[in-house]
């Protein structure tokens, strides 16, 4: 009798472990990069509004979470960029609107329907956007797809900037294959790479060990 009960207990533990592993695998299936962003500057700079899109392949996951950072690299303090988010919505590649809910003050959970790709859209009030320039500091602007705790989803990041006519772009990221597109090897690199847009600025370049550096004023 003891052997049978012991076997049953052991089998139950194996089933529980298998169930946990299966759940982790299902969650991992949602973590498929790359992540891409599109930033469109409102035609009225004095509105201080940006229009943003975040797109990711959700695979077969039931839902994905996207969040505004509460941190900034090198800054020891919590900030509340989520307060500047307006008109959040989501859809898939078929154009079907997706259900979502806020799970905490800075996180939105989007529920997948029949599509594979999820695009989150939101407007952002940014004081650093006016008729003279737009300065994008990553943690204050870009949501991330929640991946392995406590980090964002792994994989490369691509961004497309839709600026005003005659405005130029300067950033430390590599240029992408299309005009006004840039790429980073990870969200960490992406979030550390400030982006400056504007009609004119002063720029100084110098080279050190074969690497060009730019100082923009």
């Amino acid at each position: 009798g003891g052997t049978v009960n012991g076997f049953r207990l052991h089998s139950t533990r194996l089933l529980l472990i298998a169930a946990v592993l299966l759940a982790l695998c299902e969650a991992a299936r949602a973590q498929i990069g790359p992540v891409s962003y599109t930033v469109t500057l409102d035609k009225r700079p004095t509105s201080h509004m940006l229009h943003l899109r975040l797109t990711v392949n959700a695979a077969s996951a039931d839902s994905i979470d996207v969040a505004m950072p509460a941190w900034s690299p090198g800054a020891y303090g919590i900030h509340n960029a989520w307060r500047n988010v307006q008109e959040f919505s989501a859809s898939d590649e078929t154009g079907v609107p997706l259900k979502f809910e806020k799970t905490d003050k800075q996180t939105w959970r989007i529920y997948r329907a029949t599509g594979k790709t999820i695009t989150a859209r939101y407007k952002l009030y940014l004081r650093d956007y006016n008729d003279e320039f737009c300065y994008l500091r990553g943690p204050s602007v870009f949501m991330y797809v929640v991946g392995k705790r406590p980090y964002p989803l792994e994989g490369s990041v691509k961004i497309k900037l839709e600026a005003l006519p005659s405005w130029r772009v300067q950033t430390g990221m590599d240029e992408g294959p299309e005009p006004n597109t840039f790429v980073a090897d990870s969200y960490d690199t992406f979030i550390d790479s400030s982006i400056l847009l504007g009609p004119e600025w002063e720029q100084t370049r110098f080279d050190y060990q074969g690497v060009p550096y730019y100082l923009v004023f």
Side-chain angles (χ1 to χ4, degrees):
T3 303
V4 173
N5 291 337
F7 176 75
R8 287 177 179 173
L9 180 60
H10 183 66
S11 299
T12 301
R13 288 175 176 171
L14 288 178
L15 288 173
L16 288 173
I17 292 173
V20 170
L21 291 176
L22 180 60
L24 291 175
C25 288
E26 286 297 322
R29 291 170 70 178
Q31 301 175 1
I32 298 178
V35 176
S36 63
Y37 297 84
T38 300
V39 180
T40 303
L41 274 60
D42 194 277
K43 294 181 180 180
R44 298 169 298 130
T46 53
S47 70
H48 308 293
M49 298 302 299
L50 304 179
H51 306 265
L52 294 107
R53 300 197 302 270
L54 178 162
T55 301
V56 64
N57 185 351
S60 59
D62 293 333
S63 66
I64 66 166
D65 290 352
V66 296
M68 284 294 289
W71 42 263
S72 182
Y76 297 93
I78 299 296
H79 66 91
N80 296 300
W82 60 271
R83 292 178 175 172
N84 297 322
V85 174
Q86 302 179 18
E87 300 181 23
F88 183 92
S89 65
S91 62
D92 61 22
E93 68 271 27
T94 67
V96 173
L98 301 178
K99 295 180 180 180
F100 65 88
E101 63 177 336
K102 287 193 73 173
T103 58
D104 59 36
K105 66 180 183 180
Q106 66 204 53
T107 306
W108 288 257
R109 177 162 296 161
I110 305 169
Y111 294 94
R112 188 180 65 86
T114 57
K116 299 295 184 183
T117 301
I118 289 179
T119 297
R121 294 175 173 83
Y122 59 101
K123 293 171 65 175
L124 187 80
Y125 177 83
L126 186 70
R127 294 181 62 183
D128 285 336
Y129 173 41
N130 53 50
D131 54 4
E132 294 183 348
F133 69 94
C134 181
Y135 185 36
L136 304 180
R137 287 175 283 189
S140 300
V141 177
F142 300 107
M143 291 186 180
Y144 61 90
V145 181
V146 178
K148 296 179 180 179
R149 294 179 60 192
Y151 301 105
L153 177 65
E154 296 178 353
S156 60
V157 174
K158 175 183 176 182
I159 182 171
K160 180 178 182 180
L161 300 168
E162 297 179 344
L164 301 178
S166 77
W167 279 35
R168 297 184 297 153
V169 180
Q170 182 59 278
T171 179
M173 284 185 285
D174 295 329
E175 293 186 358
E178 303 170 3
N180 285 337
T181 62
F182 301 89
V183 293
D185 59 358
S186 67
Y187 183 84
D188 288 337
T189 301
F190 171 71
I191 213 69
D192 272 338
S193 302
S194 299
I195 304 171
L196 177 67
L197 304 96
E200 60 182 36
W201 59 62
E202 295 182 10
Q203 176 173 291
T204 298
R205 168 180 169 165
F206 67 91
D207 296 297
Y208 178 70
Q209 295 185 349
V211 178
Y213 292 81
Y214 299 87
L215 301 179
V216 179
F217 302 90

